[in-house]
Amino acid sequence: MGRFALPASILAGAALVAAYAFQAESYTLFVIALVALTAIVGVGLNILLGLAGQVSLGHVGFYAIGAYVSGILILKGWDFFAALPLAVLVAGAIGALLALPALRVSGPYLAMVTIAFAFIVEHGLIEWRDVTGGANGLMGILPPTLGPILFAEREMALLAILLATLALLGFWGLSESRLGRAMRAVRDSEIAAQSVGLNPVGLKTLAFALSAALAGLAGAVFAPLMMFISPGSFPFSQSILFLFAVVVGGAGSVLGPVFGALVVVGLPELLSDFAEYRLLVFGGLLLVVLWIAPEGIVGLARRLMRQDPRPAQAGGIDVAAALRPAAPSPLAVAGLGIAFGGVKAASDVAFTAQPGAVTSVIGPNGAGKTTVLNMIGGFYKPDAGTIRLAGAELAGAPAYKVARAGIARTYQTTQLFGTLSVRDNVRIAGADPALAEALLAFVGYGGPVAARADDLPHVDRRLVEIARALATRPRVLLLDEPAAGLMRADKDALGALLRRIAETGIAVILVEHDMAMVMGISDHVVVLDAGRPIAAGTPDAVRADPKVVAAYLGGTETRARRRAVPWSGPADPVLATLRLSAGYGAAPVLENVEIAVRPGELVALLGANGAGKSTAMKAVSGLLRPVSGEIVLRDAPVSGLPAHRIARLGLALVPEGRQVFPELTVRDNIRLGASARAERPDAAAFAAELDVLLRRFPRLAERLSSRAGLLSGGEQQMLALARGLMAKPQILLLDEPSLGLAPAIINEVFDVLAELRAEGVTILLVDQMAALALTVADRAYVLESGRVVQAGSAADLAGDATLEAAYLGARPAAQ
Amino acid sequence: MVTSILKSRFGLTRRAAVLGLGAAFAFGAPSAPALAQETLKVGLVAALSGQSAKSGEAITRGLEVAIDEINAAGGVLGKKIELIRRDDESNPAKGLLAARELVQREKVVAFFGGIDTPVSLAIVPFANQAKVPFIGVWAAGTAITRNGAAENYVFRVSAVDELVDEAMIDYAVKTYKTTKPGLMLINNPWGESNEKGLKAAAAASKLTIAGAEKFDNNDVDMVPQLTRLKEAGADTIFLVANVQPSAQVVKSLDRMGWAVPVVSHWGPAGGRFTELGGPSAEKVHLVQTYSFSGKLSKKGETVLAALKTKYPQVTTLADVTPAVGIANAYDGMHLLALAIAKAGSTDGPAVRQAFYEIGTYEGLIKTYSKPFSPSNQDALGKGDYMFTHFKGAEIVPVN
Amino acid sequence: MLIVSAIVSGLSLGAMYGLIALGYHVTFAVSNTVNFAQGSSVMLGAVLCYTLWITVGWPLPLAILGALALAGLFGLAVERFLVRPFAERGSNAWLMATVAGGIVLDNAVMFTFGKEPRALPSALASQPVSLFGAGIYPLQLVIPVAGIAVALALHVLLRHTDAGKRLLAVVQNPAAARLMGIDVKRAIALSFAASAVLAAIAGMLIAPLFSVSSDMGLMFGIKAFAVAILGGIGSASGIMLAGFLYGLAEALITSFLGSSYTQILVFSAVIAALALMPNGLFGRAAVKKV
């Protein structure tokens, strides 16, 4: 069996080394024993780093604690084999204790807590002289006897090999077990781990304790092996070498610590002839090893190995029956509201999601849909309202409790456990291997079940995430924009899948921008705008609702800003894309997009959320490297150039969400806009230019010295525009300038755009509010699912059915 | 720069060549048996890098100068002596591993021990068990030679903390009429073992200790510790620390304006004490086993000249520090050569016996006469310490 | 008297820690990485200043500038070879790489500069003066002042020069900074240079009080990391404050309880402080997004 190839090879390797140990002389035995002990500490650290994703620079502390407990007890006359478990226990208990402060912090803060721990142990050993022998340490720690056998070097080495083998097998068992998978899950995505019902704090504490216990075990053997221990035997640098052993071996891999220990213990021995130059050479070689294999030796090897290509098999399991909730129950939300920093993100949200039905929550960007989902999922604590499922009140419950109550969810950006296999991702949520495969087949995942989740194409990530959510046997399934970034055919398959899921009796709640899909599969649609429900009902009723149309396409209250004289100018475009494809994973979001903007023209790029508008902006500005195709800026190809170079060539993007520098003043923000210019203005020139800009944006004049983060959304949009203009760009790109702004402010912004247009500024505008964008645009392109589906003059497009269809889905007649 | 140093000062050896070929299985290839060796190998396990690197270098130089002399005179048992050095990084575990490698892989006849007492303590049981002579030329921990083994293979040509401590107390009482000394000790094994020794010696001389204060190697301000000793009524300071923290003690005394007599262990001799500590450093009296300053014996002249020839970096007397490391190692190497010659073999037990039979040897530190016996494995005794002080960059005997 | 001397040396050590810790802050703010060989930068500043001034014989001001420039180059090299190759791939191995780089540099300096500590002479650290009855070197008073001055200079440089504002822009929003034509990679490299220069300044300031040797930086680097974390690695002013707190705590504990327990107590306090305030004493919590 392939599954047991690894433990079998561990046993074979151990037997080989043990056989060699029978004829080796004591120096070699010592080296073997030290490699084995370092491997044991490495395995422990691997649990912490490789499985739970926590770093420790203090493991030499646990190693020392194990050594001193065993050494002191042996000197007091204890039998080694009685002292050993106690040393392990003490180290493990201290590890659990250290986890209390350690788990409250992360990143460099965690590193510091563990460094501090190592120093406390070192100085504690020096100062607690009566017990530890102080700086001069403990002498004469005699090796044990077991019956007639005296444990000389050979026996100690064999013992170390045995323990290392057990540790490796234990690690293998752990990483294959539900517990090990749960630890990895917490490391890969704490958020998703909670949503499948795992408790991160408990798991990480356990990892800390196990890890410390193993370090203590190695230390406990180290003491009688050396027969002498002192604080100098446990220098801080050893901690770093332990960590190095795990990283170099390959964090998370079973055999990694063995290779790492060989490097860390063996290399210095090979270098011993270098005498005083040994550390220098050793340090240099460590660097070389890191450069060659930054993901570790085992990681390097695995990358070169072929993967098991077997796809998921349904295996005759009736998934629909398996998924059918024992007691189907509606999810009832009432009066739900939450505010962030005084701004209401959602209020008075109420709906009931019936079992066996698809309930969709829709609304333009910023309407508060994901916020509602996050409140239901337990990631936000609502300020008001109730969330009831089967009689239980869930408002404010933590995520893992919500998950355990039967609410599963998926995320806008998929939250898979990236280093786990597809199958393990589903198993972690509670499915046995057979059901896991059946679920994968059920959702339509056709790839290999052994593939690493990180390596999956986008569409498969979505499907696996749904399968994982289903594996928790939910009563309610929440989906956050599952169709985002998918191609049409994939979207259709996804829609069919969601219906099949609903048919099992699960209440499906869908947040989605793709209207064709929403309208096609929903039983009930709730429309939010600015955090409030504005309409609810069947798809047809909602689509016909003028309030909904206004919310999406931009209201009729916007004024027209047609040019007096239609644009005419040179046909040579300032900016053009040629068969541009771009995206984030294997599946491109944009496909063969061709647009052109000519000098002085204002061109709009329209389309529903998720159509690829922002992706296009990112690709053109260099923030996202295109997959294929060319971008031409003033006759120069710029595709693949970094963003700052493209900016210096005269392209200024005013990004979605404004992206002002919040801690800098308004004046500094504007001034930074000039960074891209070849010749930056001096103080006087800047003052003059600022003056001109402030006349255009009078609101900014009085806020010049206040921090940009304190401005209102509208002011920030003005600022972002001013900052973009400061670059004196050849072309100005605007990404969603109306997003989240009040209508009056939106009008102000668009009036400015009309002014700029009149002054001859070349502009490419992306806006979700199509009607609004068309008030200023000369021409427009309509994007749907990453492709240009329509192009023409603004006047022609304003009444075009394609446009409305691109936003709200085709009318029933067209289906 | 570094590579050029490596090339010029370090002939790539067999093992390094093996490494160059990437043969990770070098562990498995045992060295040729001792008999077939063309040279007599002796080992050194000492801290060659890090804070004690300078001391490790001094020991190396003392051994190498002595080996050059011996080899020029035809070697021992007709073979040239070869020195094989290992860096223990002041880590007992690394030291023990290196000792095993030297004995079992390199088949050394005997090996020298380095700076740190814990490292030597870790090696002692192994040396006795492997029956290979282990000669300490620096670490002064009492238990190194007085280790209780029935067949003791550990010898020493260096100070012994207990004896130094007694000598310091005697000297202070005689010179300064000390009644209430205060101890200033580096917070490491060396300081710890002298705390014990000084307290015992003080008790024996019926002196009350005003207090024992600790400091770390990196401390820049010892005023708090010294102030506490002053307030406790200390009339003399006993100082045990390396040169850099010793200099900080002197500077702290300067800042306090406290002109108290300071009697020190040999630490300040390890570097440029007066450069680091300022003019007041000259007032510190310190224990030495040897000094290259002043009127040298003929042997002293020879060794100093050899050092200057062999190591171009040595130009002034300030460059032959720590002198004790050089001198101890030099004498230790010659005594070992005498023992091997006397034993007529490289067999460990025979060499050990021969150590006890060494008659008179005119060494650098003194003329040794029957330096070792099974009841005293230390070649230097209380009478061999002299008290010195810095004069400019040189160390000169007091008076 | 004792307390005066303890406060003075606590403040001068604290200023040192603060400066070195600011170096951690600068790179962390820009790139989420730090140079764990920061102690080596401290050493490099002192060693280069000594070498250029005493050994080579340059005039002191020139030697200081030369040492700072070379330390800056070292920072650039650290970023280019020890951090970027790993950070680019999202690997955390820069942690080990910078540690290994520090080992290499410390040892290389040991063989070139020499194995014994040397004294960097200073008129400010030869004759003690009396302050409220406690004898101190004038340099001990100069260091905290210089430390605060350098920290303020850094602040001014960042807040009131174009180059500084571009760096702040990178800190606050790297993507938007790129859209302004700012080269983010270059900014990260510069932050490592600045980090090394700050540490080198600290090394030169402390050298006359201490000594110059190849391993002088190690403990300073570790304690300064504790200071950076304690202050909240994202907060520059918090770090300077934490530096002074740390230095004072060390000096006062040594003065009143004896030095044996200084490290145990201070490091325990660090753990306790972080357990209570996981983002440091003056740091702000990062916003969690789903």
Side-chain angles (χ1 to χ4, degrees):
Chain A
M1 273 285 289
R3 205 169 106 78
F4 292 103
L6 193 58
S9 56
I10 292 172
L11 286 172
L16 221 66
V17 179
Y20 179 68
F22 270 104
Q23 57 90 41
E25 94 280 35
S26 86
Y27 163 66
T28 311
L29 289 169
F30 242 70
V31 174
I32 291 174
L34 286 176
V35 170
L37 294 183
T38 306
I40 294 172
V41 182
V43 168
L45 206 48
N46 209 9
I47 295 177
L48 195 63
L49 181 72
L51 294 184
Q54 303 289 302
V55 74
S56 165
L57 284 167
H59 259 50
V60 78
F62 297 117
Y63 193 50
I65 286 169
Y68 269 89
V69 170
S70 123
I72 290 165
L73 291 178
I74 290 172
L75 287 176
K76 285 199 188 303
W78 279 50
D79 186 69
F80 166 73
F81 294 99
L84 186 78
L86 197 67
V88 173
L89 268 180
V90 171
I94 294 178
L97 212 62
L98 182 67
L100 291 180
L103 292 182
R104 292 180 49 79
V105 297
S106 59
Y109 295 86
L110 175 61
M112 189 61 231
V113 166
T114 57
I115 291 173
F117 168 72
F119 278 97
I120 291 170
V121 171
E122 184 189 335
H123 287 272
L125 291 177
I126 294 172
E127 299 308 332
W128 200 9
R129 206 154 295 135
D130 299 342
V131 177
T132 62
N136 276 304
L138 297 172
M139 283 178 76
I141 303 164
L142 292 179
T145 50
L146 190 67
I149 311 164
L150 171 74
F151 273 60
E153 291 90 354
R154 193 176 319 282
E155 290 74 19
M156 289 303 287
L158 289 171
L159 176 67
I161 295 168
L162 173 72
L163 291 174
T165 310
L166 290 177
L168 287 167
L169 290 175
F171 183 88
W172 170 77
L174 177 66
S175 68
E176 295 281 308
S177 73
R178 182 168 153 68
L179 186 61
R181 282 194 300 274
M183 286 178 180
R184 280 176 201 251
V186 166
R187 176 200 59 188
D188 286 355
S189 169
E190 214 163 288
I191 291 162
Q194 290 183 17
S195 77
V196 295
L198 302 173
N199 175 357
V201 173
L203 285 165
K204 286 195 280 189
T205 308
L206 181 65
F208 242 102
L210 280 175
S211 177
L214 278 169
L217 171 70
V221 179
F222 178 82
L225 175 73
M226 287 290 157
M227 301 199 291
F228 174 89
I229 48 172
S230 78
S233 310
F234 309 99
F236 175 64
S237 57
Q238 189 71 42
S239 262
I240 292 162
L241 289 180
F242 284 146
L243 191 64
F244 188 90
V246 175
V247 170
V248 151
S253 73
V254 177
L255 291 177
V258 179
F259 292 104
L262 271 173
V263 172
V264 166
V265 179
L267 195 54
E269 290 309 307
L270 289 178
L271 298 175
S272 62
D273 258 351
F274 281 92
E276 60 262 57
Y277 297 99
R278 175 169 73 173
L279 260 185
L280 178 70
V281 178
F282 182 54
L285 285 178
L286 289 189
L287 275 177
V288 172
V289 171
L290 283 175
W291 279 321
I292 294 172
E295 287 148 87
I297 297 164
V298 172
L300 197 72
R302 189 169 31 202
R303 180 156 288 203
L304 303 172
M305 274 192 332
R306 215 168 52 88
Q307 187 189 67
D308 178 8
R310 199 173 59 80
Q313 269 139 21
I317 295 180
D318 183 356
V319 174
L323 285 179
R324 183 158 296 123
S329 161
L331 178 82
V333 172
L336 208 55
I338 191 170
F340 298 113
V343 180
K344 284 198 167 168
S347 52
D348 294 327
V349 176
F351 62 86
T352 300
Q354 294 296 343
V358 176
T359 306
S360 289
V361 180
I362 65 169
N365 228 331
K369 306 178 298 285
T370 298
T371 305
V372 170
L373 223 53
N374 280 337
M375 285 192 281
I376 299 174
F379 288 100
Y380 295 160
K381 211 178 159 124
D383 298 334
T386 59
I387 302 165
R388 284 179 189 281
L389 179 68
E393 175 56 54
L394 293 172
Y400 71 94
K401 287 200 175 146
V402 171
R404 288 175 186 176
I407 299 181
R409 74 169 288 185
T410 70
Y411 299 84
Q412 221 170 68
T413 23
T414 51
Q415 299 271 357
L416 288 179
F417 306 124
T419 62
L420 295 189
S421 72
V422 165
R423 182 176 36 211
D424 284 348
N425 260 281
V426 181
R427 283 183 64 191
I428 196 88
D432 61 43
L435 180 62
E437 287 207 23
L439 279 171
L440 285 165
F442 175 76
V443 299
Y445 171 72
V449 291
R452 259 167 55 111
D454 266 348
D455 300 336
L456 292 184
H458 184 67
V459 56
D460 285 343
R461 299 171 65 89
R462 293 276 184 217
L463 295 177
V464 173
E465 201 183 24
I466 292 171
R468 185 183 67 191
L470 292 176
T472 64
R473 320 281 173 86
R475 284 193 273 217
V476 181
L477 177 63
L478 309 175
L479 300 126
D480 195 356
E481 299 196 23
L486 297 192
M487 310 301 292
R488 187 76 259 162
D490 293 330
K491 284 181 182 175
D492 292 344
L494 178 66
L497 170 64
L498 296 187
R499 284 266 26 128
R500 271 187 289 142
I501 293 171
E503 276 156 23
T504 65
I506 293 173
V508 176
I509 300 179
L510 173 67
V511 163
E512 184 51 66
H513 282 294
D514 188 280
M515 287 305 148
M517 181 164 140
V518 167
M519 298 303 171
I521 66 167
S522 302
D523 298 292
H524 183 74
V525 179
V526 180
V527 187
L528 298 183
D529 191 23
R532 293 177 172 279
I534 55 168
T538 63
D540 284 345
V542 162
R543 181 168 34 210
D545 192 322
K547 273 188 292 185
V548 177
V549 175
Y552 268 88
L553 288 168
T556 44
E557 71 268 31
T558 56
R559 48 182 172 269
R561 304 174 180 87
R562 286 276 142 76
R563 281 190 204 258
V565 183
W567 175 85
S568 71
D572 261 3
V574 177
L575 175 77
T577 66
L578 305 168
R579 303 185 62 77
L580 179 67
S581 295
Y584 306 94
V589 176
L590 284 186
E591 268 192 300
N592 296 332
V593 167
E594 304 217 339
I595 58 172
V597 188
R598 289 167 297 202
E601 211 180 10
L602 197 162
V603 174
L605 199 54
L606 307 174
N609 220 314
K613 306 185 303 290
S614 283
T615 305
M617 294 303 235
K618 281 189 185 144
V620 167
S621 63
L623 288 176
L624 178 70
R625 205 185 166 84
V627 176
S628 65
E630 189 51 83
I631 300 161
V632 180
L633 178 62
R634 287 200 300 156
D635 297 331
V638 298
S639 174
L641 285 187
H644 69 272
R645 298 272 307 278
I646 294 179
R648 289 176 192 176
L649 289 172
L651 181 146
L653 169 63
V654 178
E656 182 180 342
R658 277 80 76 173
Q659 315 287 346
V660 296
F661 302 111
E663 305 284 317
L664 294 178
T665 63
V666 169
R667 184 196 304 272
D668 287 344
N669 265 276
I670 295 176
R671 176 144 200 157
L672 277 167
S675 299
R677 277 155 65 172
E679 281 171 34
R680 294 191 191 118
D682 59 22
F686 174 68
E689 287 182 33
L690 185 62
D691 231 35
V692 176
L693 277 174
L694 291 181
R695 250 173 278 147
R696 203 187 296 284
F697 303 106
R699 282 160 164 274
L700 296 180
E702 59 217 59
R703 317 289 309 255
L704 263 186
S705 303
S706 66
R707 284 194 289 130
L710 300 176
L711 300 189
S712 71
E715 288 165 339
Q716 287 193 6
Q717 187 62 58
M718 308 280 185
L719 174 56
L721 256 171
R723 189 179 63 178
L725 288 171
M726 195 65 205
K728 290 203 183 302
Q730 299 294 325
I731 179 166
L732 184 67
L733 273 59
L734 296 159
D735 196 355
E736 303 281 8
S738 71
L739 190 66
L741 300 186
I745 308 284
I746 293 175
N747 273 325
E748 239 176 273
V749 171
F750 275 73
D751 287 346
V752 171
L753 294 189
E755 278 169 43
L756 292 172
R757 179 189 65 185
E759 288 164 23
V761 179
T762 312
I763 296 174
L764 176 61
L765 166 70
V766 156
D767 209 299
Q768 200 190 185
M769 310 273 253
L772 181 68
L774 290 174
T775 62
V776 289
D778 295 307
R779 283 191 306 124
Y781 296 88
V782 181
L783 275 181
E784 198 182 339
S785 293
R787 269 179 258 200
V788 176
V789 292
Q790 187 70 279
S793 75
D796 293 346
L797 279 173
D800 196 302
T802 333
L803 184 61
E804 199 186 320
Y807 279 78
L808 286 171
R811 292 205 175 265
Q815 271 188 348
Chain B
M1 182 122 200
V2 175
T3 46
S4 72
I5 291 173
L6 279 178
K7 273 184 195 143
S8 66
R9 285 190 42 191
F10 182 82
L12 281 183
T13 60
R14 174 179 45 80
R15 189 173 296 267
V18 168
L19 175 82
L21 293 171
F25 295 102
F27 288 123
S31 299
L35 281 178
Q37 285 175 357
E38 290 152 18
T39 55
L40 267 180
K41 291 181 177 176
V42 297
L44 168 65
V45 180
L48 301 175
S49 61
Q51 271 171 3
S52 303
K54 185 72 188 169
S55 308
E57 182 187 80
I59 295 173
T60 302
R61 288 179 174 176
L63 291 176
E64 284 182 341
V65 167
I67 289 171
D68 285 354
E69 288 176 9
I70 294 163
N71 287 346
V76 181
L77 305 181
K79 289 179 181 175
K80 302 266 193 232
I81 291 177
E82 182 189 348
L83 178 66
I84 299 174
R85 299 177 305 134
R86 296 291 179 255
D87 182 11
D88 63 33
E89 298 170 31
S90 299
N91 178 335
K94 298 222 173 209
L96 178 53
L97 198 58
R100 285 177 183 265
E101 192 248 357
L102 285 175
V103 168
Q104 290 165 351
R105 275 302 166 79
E106 300 291 349
K107 315 279 183 202
V108 295
V109 180
F111 61 113
F112 293 89
I115 292 104
D116 303 275
T117 294
V119 177
S120 293
L121 287 177
I123 293 173
V124 163
F126 167 70
N128 285 332
Q129 181 207 336
K131 299 186 189 304
V132 176
F134 173 51
I135 304 113
V137 291
W138 189 291
T142 310
I144 295 173
T145 43
R146 299 181 197 171
N147 54 46
E151 270 186 48
N152 192 350
Y153 283 82
V154 185
F155 299 89
R156 176 159 49 195
V157 186
S158 181
V160 183
D161 279 339
E162 263 180 28
L163 302 181
V164 171
D165 295 333
E166 286 170 21
M168 282 164 68
I169 297 263
D170 288 354
Y171 179 80
V173 169
K174 202 176 75 204
T175 316
Y176 300 117
K177 312 272 176 287
T178 298
T179 56
K180 204 173 181 193
L183 314 186
M184 282 294 283
L185 309 159
I186 183 88
N187 195 4
N188 71 12
W190 185 38
E192 200 176 291
S193 100
N194 280 288
E195 180 178 5
K196 222 156 72 185
L198 282 168
K199 282 182 173 167
S205 300
K206 311 244 177 328
L207 302 181
T208 345
I209 300 275
E213 292 289 337
K214 298 285 183 71
F215 47 85
D216 278 316
N217 215 35
N218 271 351
D219 285 355
V220 286
D221 183 18
M222 278 72 157
V223 171
Q225 289 94 331
L226 289 167
T227 306
R228 267 203 301 273
L229 291 181
K230 188 180 184 185
E231 281 166 2
D235 57 5
T236 309
I237 299 293
F238 286 114
L239 175 62
V240 180
N242 297 330
V243 58
Q244 131 74 24
S246 292
Q248 294 300 339
V249 169
V250 170
K251 286 205 222 170
S252 295
L253 284 172
D254 262 2
R255 289 208 295 277
M256 291 167 65
W258 186 22
V260 65
V262 179
V263 178
S264 170
H265 208 304
W266 62 20
R272 297 162 196 267
F273 188 43
T274 39
E275 178 183 311
L276 296 170
S280 304
E282 294 190 350
K283 292 180 213 150
V284 173
H285 290 191
L286 56 142
V287 172
Q288 288 285 278
T289 56
Y290 189 71
S291 156
F292 280 102
S293 303
K295 174 97 183 77
L296 292 181
S297 65
K298 195 157 165 286
K299 193 103 184 175
E301 301 277 358
T302 321
V303 172
L304 187 58
L307 283 168
K308 284 183 175 167
T309 322
K310 194 169 170 69
Y311 307 103
Q313 307 96 310
V314 175
T315 50
T316 68
L317 284 180
D319 298 319
V320 282
T321 54
V324 288
I326 298 174
N328 293 351
Y330 176 88
D331 279 355
M333 184 63 233
H334 273 295
L335 289 169
L336 171 64
L338 288 175
I340 296 172
K342 185 145 269 181
S345 101
T346 55
D347 177 49
V351 176
R352 172 177 171 259
Q353 269 311 315
F355 264 109
Y356 302 132
E357 288 154 22
I358 295 172
T360 307
Y361 157 61
E362 204 174 304
L364 186 57
I365 297 171
K366 66 169 182 178
T367 299
Y368 298 83
S369 175
K370 286 251 161 215
F372 301 108
S373 72
S375 61
N376 180 17
Q377 312 254 125
D378 275 292
L380 299 180
K382 208 170 155 183
D384 298 317
Y385 306 133
M386 56 173 169
F387 279 85
T388 61
H389 68 103
F390 270 82
K391 192 157 189 209
E394 291 183 29
I395 300 175
V396 296
V398 172
N399 306 328
Chain C
M1 214 177 96
L2 187 54
I3 188 139
V4 174
S5 133
I7 288 174
V8 168
S9 61
L11 288 179
S12 50
L13 274 179
M16 281 260 313
Y17 297 150
L19 281 185
I20 305 166
L22 276 185
Y24 290 118
H25 156 73
V26 171
T27 60
F28 189 82
V30 176
S31 67
N32 268 314
T33 52
V34 297
N35 174 12
F36 272 99
Q38 185 75 338
S40 301
S41 312
V42 177
M43 176 275 290
L44 207 56
V47 163
L48 287 172
C49 180
Y50 182 95
T51 306
L52 294 178
W53 183 31
I54 309 278
T55 315
V56 181
W58 288 10
L60 182 59
L62 207 62
I64 291 175
L65 286 179
L68 291 180
L70 288 171
L73 277 181
F74 170 67
L76 290 179
V78 166
E79 194 275 336
R80 182 66 192 80
F81 299 110
L82 305 181
V83 176
R84 195 189 298 178
F86 307 105
E88 260 179 358
R89 301 185 221 204
S91 152
N92 283 331
W94 51 264
L95 192 159
M96 257 84 58
T98 52
V99 170
I103 293 175
V104 170
L105 181 73
D106 286 4
N107 279 277
V109 168
M110 182 176 99
F111 293 116
T112 46
F113 176 74
K115 292 171 182 151
E116 46 185 350
R118 304 301 300 257
L120 191 68
S122 165
L124 294 174
S126 52
Q127 281 305 315
V129 296
S130 174
L131 183 79
F132 301 113
I136 52 163
Y137 290 128
L139 185 62
Q140 288 179 290
L141 293 176
V142 171
I143 289 177
V145 175
I148 292 173
V150 170
L152 283 178
L154 181 75
H155 180 83
V156 169
L157 226 60
L158 282 176
R159 295 277 155 182
H160 300 284
T161 66
D162 276 5
K165 283 172 192 166
R166 281 199 289 276
L167 201 66
L168 286 180
V170 173
V171 172
Q172 291 172 26
N173 192 333
R178 291 167 70 195
L179 294 175
M180 305 294 110
I182 297 168
D183 187 343
V184 171
K185 271 188 189 169
R186 206 167 136 248
I188 292 174
L190 280 178
S191 74
F192 273 86
S195 167
V197 167
L198 283 167
I201 293 174
M204 285 187 240
L205 281 173
I206 198 74
L209 285 183
F210 193 57
S211 64
V212 184
S213 66
S214 61
D215 58 3
M216 65 181 282
L218 196 66
M219 269 323 280
F220 287 131
I222 291 171
K223 288 179 184 174
F225 187 62
V227 164
I229 294 300
L230 204 59
I233 193 158
S235 156
S237 50
I239 284 173
M240 279 315 281
L241 254 162
F244 286 119
L245 274 180
Y246 195 101
L248 283 175
E250 271 195 338
L252 291 173
I253 292 174
T254 306
S255 291
F256 296 106
L257 297 174
S259 86
S260 302
Y261 297 100
T262 309
Q263 300 313 326
I264 298 180
L265 288 177
V266 172
F267 279 119
S268 302
V270 168
I271 293 184
L274 290 179
L276 295 174
M277 308 175 83
N279 298 296
L281 300 177
F282 311 100
R284 273 185 291 183
V287 182
K288 254 193 196 168
K289 283 181 193 156
V290 176

